Amino acid sequence: MITIANRLKTVEEYYFSSKLREVRELIAQGKPIVNMGIGSPDLQPSKLVTQAIQNAMFDDVSHQYQSYQGLPELRQEMANFYKNNFQVDLNFNNEILPLMGSKEGIMHISLAFLNEGDEVLIPNPGYPTYTSVTNLVGAKPIFYDLIAENNWEPDFEYLEKTDLTKVKLMWVNYPHMPTGTSGSLHLFEKLVAFTKKNQILLVNDNPYSFVLNDNPISILQIKGAKEVALELNSLSKTYNMAGWRVGMVSGNSKYIDAILKVKSNMDSGMFYGIQKGAIEALKLDKSWFDEQNEIYHKRRKLVFQLADKLKCTYDKNSVGLFVWAKLPIGITNSEDFVDELLYEKDLFITPGTIFGNNGESYVRFSLCISEEKIKEVLSRILIEEQIHL
């Protein structure tokens, strides 16, 4: 029997990979499960986007290998996107690199900058992939606490007292997933100053800027940010193109060159038609976001009602595709709470613990589900309440 690589001993199967298998099995048994766990947009891309990929099928170069850097016109539209939405000037030739989703960028950045034994500052709670990729490349995760009492922002006074001599990279994610905290330019200024002082590469993972958020910001808006910061972005959430796998990393050309060295050894370029569709998506104006957010506003109101019924509390000012909610008083085990809902009420939501131990006593509701389905869950709970009266 051939043994697996030691690096796989440092990671577990992604929670949703295993849990969704269980959910599918319950559905196969006839259970009417409503899945509010995962953040995969159920809405459609613009018709202009799907038309572009259809038209691209007939271009002479459509089915050839593509440039590792993507089409020049795609990079130009990505630069325009940053200019129009964040007032950030980027050189489309060397400060932007298209990616097959921003999740790919987490691995590429880690491979490009981390040596075995380097340390990485990772938010707790935060996206689990930051930790798993750090482990896979042989670096060491150093978790920094985010707590509600500090508005889910880093405690810089505590961090400054920490031994940072081996820290090479710091992951941040604002608007924050899973808590929905929007972040601010003031916070970004403090992050840039902190990482510059301590010679740490700062990476802001920024895929939720335009979802239920009236003030989209980029860390690259901060003066001097390009010296120490990169930003990941994605078309998955903002343009309903999650399965298309289109993202980007932006920043200093020397950092981008390092990432390109990794990327060019791992793929053979993004499919031409997808790039053409992405170009059209990036051309969409503010009305696109307004239309999407009108739908998400309605869904979020219903999820707030659902959270109220479950006696959970939440921040009405949060942004993004999720509602992060604290469990009822006296209940602290997130996974038990989630399993009870799954088995007794046919509802699947996400336990906060998969994002770190600071997620204990919290759960996450996804807005990637129709109003009708949310109303269906509310009706079930209302009927049960009436039965128990």
Side-chain angles (χ1 to χ4, degrees), residues 72-107:
E73 53 264 45
L74 174 58
R75 297 197 308 275
Q76 181 64 70
E77 285 304 328
M78 288 175 170
N80 292 343
F81 173 85
Y82 263 81
K83 180 64 174 178
N84 295 336
N85 293 293
F86 302 120
Q87 295 75 53
V88 170
D89 290 308
L90 293 169
N91 185 323
F92 78 95
N93 279 317
N94 58 21
E95 292 186 325
I96 297 178
L97 180 64
L99 302 168
M100 294 178 187
S102 58
K103 188 174 185 179
E104 177 196 63
I106 297 171
M107 175 61 83

Side-chain angles (χ1 to χ4, degrees), residues 321-386:
L321 270 182
F322 308 101
V323 171
W324 179 249
K326 189 170 181 59
L327 297 183
I329 295 173
I331 300 177
T332 58
N333 192 305
S334 300
E335 294 190 23
D336 286 351
F337 186 84
V338 166
D339 283 344
E340 182 178 338
L341 287 179
L342 178 61
Y343 304 136
E344 296 184 11
K345 293 185 170 56
D346 297 319
L347 170 65
F348 174 58
I349 59 176
T350 305
T353 45
I354 76 164
F355 306 108
N357 59 17
N358 283 340
E360 186 62 281
S361 79
Y362 288 89
V363 289
R364 191 192 74 174
F365 298 83
S366 171
L367 301 181
C368 300
I369 185 169
S370 69
E371 290 180 57
E372 289 72 25
K373 283 293 183 181
I374 305 171
K375 289 176 181 177
E376 178 185 326
V377 175
L378 282 166
S379 296
R380 290 179 193 172
I381 294 174
L382 181 61
I383 290 171
E384 286 190 14
E385 288 177 345
Q386 291 173 341

